[in-house]
Amino acid sequence: MTSTSEIIIKSEALEQNVKFVRSLLDKSTILSAVIKGNAYGHGTNIIVPALESLGVNHFSVYSSAEARIAFEVKSPKSKIMIMGFIYKDDYQWVIENNIEFFVSCPEEFKRVVETINRIQKKAIIHIDLETGMNRTGLGIAQLKKIIPQIKANENLLRIRGISSHFAGAESIANHSRIKKQFSVFKRRIKLLNENGISSEIKHIASSAATINYPETRLDLVRVGILLYGYWPTAETFIHYIHRRKDKTDPLRRALRWCTEVALVKTVPEGEFIGYGLSFQAQRTIKIMIIPVGYSNGYSRSLSNNGHVIVNGYIAPIVGAVNMNMIICEITDLPEIKVGDKVTLIGKQDENEISFTSFAEMNNSLNYEILARLPENIIRKLV
Ligand SMILES: *Cc1c(COP(=O)(O)O)cnc(C)c1O
């Protein structure tokens, strides 16, 4: 073992999640699986082939660096789309390998023009529009500036898409902002069309918009979190389930993070456990040591707060999360031995530490906890 814990990815869960997302889409809508952040911590090298075997053949990444990793493991017929940053030396590689990418600013477009003219190869671009998120994307002034440049280089550009991104479709609090963004998106597309620029497809929806705003699914949806089995927010789940007869969660968490008990011991009443004074034994208690800490992606904010599952029972964390270990109380559980199975995230027997509840405990988002799982934890597909 080259890590003290392992991440198990369940192909059955992925299959169910893909099926669910597909059930929402028209036949003609492309499902692009978002695999940025090491496939939300699940492992790009595992997730890409697993999703390919389920018929997914379009993958969205953030950067050219992530594209290179996905490119190594994808099948030849799958497509990669870069939604964000391309390192300047990577444009040639991206274009030569038919990798699709967003054009989000005029400076970036200049590099594209320079590269396609130098290597005489078509770039497959998505014109990314600023519609109100105020992050990336071409604003109206920039758009007007690059329209003539696009036209001047038309023979070396394949305008695959026009895209944008919503600023928080997972919360009803953003409802009017989302609606406004969508109408700006449609207006800007019209402007492009009137100037003789049209694209093969249009896309704007991520997981949350796919659920909450069906009219925004258009030709392609960029879905990440749902495929891994999590709702963008509890609110999105409630919004979905509210309209259904069947109230069971259609998603399956694909990931289980597990390890084993490293050590078991008894601590006398009155003693403090671990660093400092944050936990004092109020009676003689039994504890176990788990060989995972914040250096392994387990958040320090779960000190005296989080739970793990051991042999199917929930055990609370006592004291601080250390760099390489955590301590849990097991006083009232049936005998726990060194080597017994521990689940940090996911299901074990009847109990589940779900990322959603874990995230709430941790006061952070599913996205963050998943994406922070270190790359060096061993991952296995089952
Ligand atoms: C991350 C991301 C998505 C996917 O978001 P999910 O909520 O995980 O579905 C889609 N589009 C862009 C531009 C993104 O950055």
Side-chain angles (χ1 to χ4, degrees):
M1 283 281 275
T2 52
S3 61
T4 59
S5 61
E6 55 183 355
I7 288 171
I8 311 289
I9 307 294
K10 284 170 271 184
S11 54
E12 259 176 29
L14 290 174
E15 185 175 359
Q16 166 62 26
N17 301 335
V18 168
K19 226 191 247 167
F20 168 67
V21 173
R22 280 245 166 78
S23 76
L24 301 170
L25 306 178
D26 288 343
K27 271 230 148 42
S28 59
T29 301
I30 299 164
L31 169 58
S32 180
V34 179
I35 55 161
K36 65 191 180 196
N38 196 24
Y40 294 48
H42 290 63
T44 300
N45 56 343
I46 285 186
I47 291 298
V48 168
L51 289 178
E52 283 177 340
S53 76
L54 299 169
V56 176
N57 53 27
H58 196 280
F59 296 93
S60 292
V61 296
Y62 170 68
S63 60
S64 53
E66 290 182 343
R68 283 179 182 272
I69 294 167
F71 192 77
E72 288 302 309
V73 294
K74 80 174 185 71
S75 92
K77 73 175 213 296
S78 289
K79 297 186 170 71
I80 298 175
M81 176 167 80
I82 301 171
M83 305 184 291
F85 179 71
I86 299 176
Y87 194 73
K88 66 178 179 323
D89 292 344
D90 277 344
Y91 278 94
Q92 183 166 341
W93 177 82
V94 164
I95 293 165
E96 276 174 348
N97 289 290
N98 297 316
I99 291 170
E100 306 173 22
F101 58 97
F102 285 20
V103 171
S104 303
C105 73
E107 294 75 15
E108 203 178 40
F109 189 63
K110 241 196 209 144
R111 287 182 183 156
V112 178
V113 170
E114 183 278 315
T115 312
I116 52 183
N117 284 293
R118 180 163 46 80
I119 67 174
Q120 287 296 305
K121 172 131 186 15
K122 265 193 188 189
I124 311 172
I125 64 166
H126 295 252
I127 302 172
D128 189 35
L129 303 180
E130 168 58 63
T131 56
M133 184 169 188
N134 293 309
R135 190 174 69 176
T136 51
L138 294 152
I140 186 74
Q142 295 176 318
L143 198 56
K144 283 180 175 157
K145 192 167 135 194
I146 92 164
I147 285 172
Q149 298 169 25
I150 292 176
K151 299 198 68 130
N153 292 282
E154 232 160 20
N155 58 333
L156 284 172
L157 291 172
R158 176 172 164 203
I159 305 171
R160 175 67 182 141
I162 301 175
S163 61
S164 191
H165 190 52
F166 288 126
E170 64 278 0
S171 170
I172 193 75
N174 305 323
H175 183 79
S176 62
R177 189 171 175 200
I178 300 305
K179 287 281 183 194
K180 201 164 146 207
Q181 276 193 273
F182 196 49
S183 69
V184 171
F185 185 56
K186 286 187 287 194
R187 272 209 309 278
R188 298 282 156 82
I189 291 171
K190 200 158 155 248
L191 176 83
L192 280 167
N193 292 345
E194 284 164 2
N195 282 276
I197 294 173
S198 59
S199 64
E200 296 165 22
I201 61 171
K202 302 168 193 73
H203 52 102
I204 189 166
S206 61
S207 291
T210 298
I211 300 285
N212 292 343
Y213 301 91
E215 71 278 16
T216 67
R217 291 172 192 156
L218 307 179
D219 305 307
L220 176 148
V221 291
R222 305 182 306 257
V223 171
I225 201 87
L226 291 173
L227 294 179
Y228 306 102
Y230 306 91
W231 295 89
T233 51
E235 192 182 317
T236 316
F237 173 57
I238 292 162
H239 181 87
Y240 171 77
I241 213 76
H242 180 68
R243 296 164 292 166
R244 312 284 303 179
K245 264 214 202 73
D246 177 4
K247 301 291 183 199
T248 53
D249 186 348
L251 298 178
R252 301 283 173 274
R253 321 276 183 262
L255 176 148
R256 194 173 83 230
W257 186 18
C258 47
T259 181
E260 52 186 50
V261 177
L263 213 120
V264 175
K265 66 163 69 178
T266 301
V267 177
E269 180 183 343
E271 289 290 310
F272 292 98
I273 293 177
Y275 290 118
L277 307 173
S278 77
F279 187 90
Q280 184 179 31
Q282 300 298 311
R283 53 179 175 154
T284 296
I285 66 171
K286 259 169 75 183
I287 57 170
M288 64 176 179
I289 312 283
I290 310 297
V292 168
Y294 60 78
S295 73
N296 313 107
Y298 202 91
S299 176
R300 264 196 101 242
S301 63
L302 290 169
S303 299
N304 273 316
N305 188 7
H307 296 81
V308 306
I309 304 175
V310 58
N311 293 348
Y313 298 96
I314 301 236
I317 293 175
V318 294
V321 171
N322 294 183
M323 188 185 288
N324 297 99
M325 58 184 129
I326 49 185
I327 304 165
C328 298
E329 182 177 355
I330 52 169
T331 316
D332 300 321
L333 305 185
E335 184 174 351
I336 306 291
K337 298 180 302 299
V338 169
D340 283 353
K341 194 167 103 179
V342 173
T343 300
L344 301 164
I345 303 290
K347 240 193 169 113
Q348 187 181 312
D349 305 325
E350 287 304 291
N351 284 315
E352 179 172 12
I353 307 276
S354 75
F355 254 112
T356 314
S357 60
F358 186 84
E360 278 159 10
M361 282 191 305
N362 198 359
N363 200 17
S364 111
L365 292 163
N366 290 336
Y367 295 86
E368 183 186 341
I369 296 165
L370 290 167
R372 259 195 340 215
L373 288 170
E375 273 174 44
N376 63 5
I377 299 178
I378 292 170
R379 287 160 171 84
K380 288 182 189 149
L381 185 73
V382 297

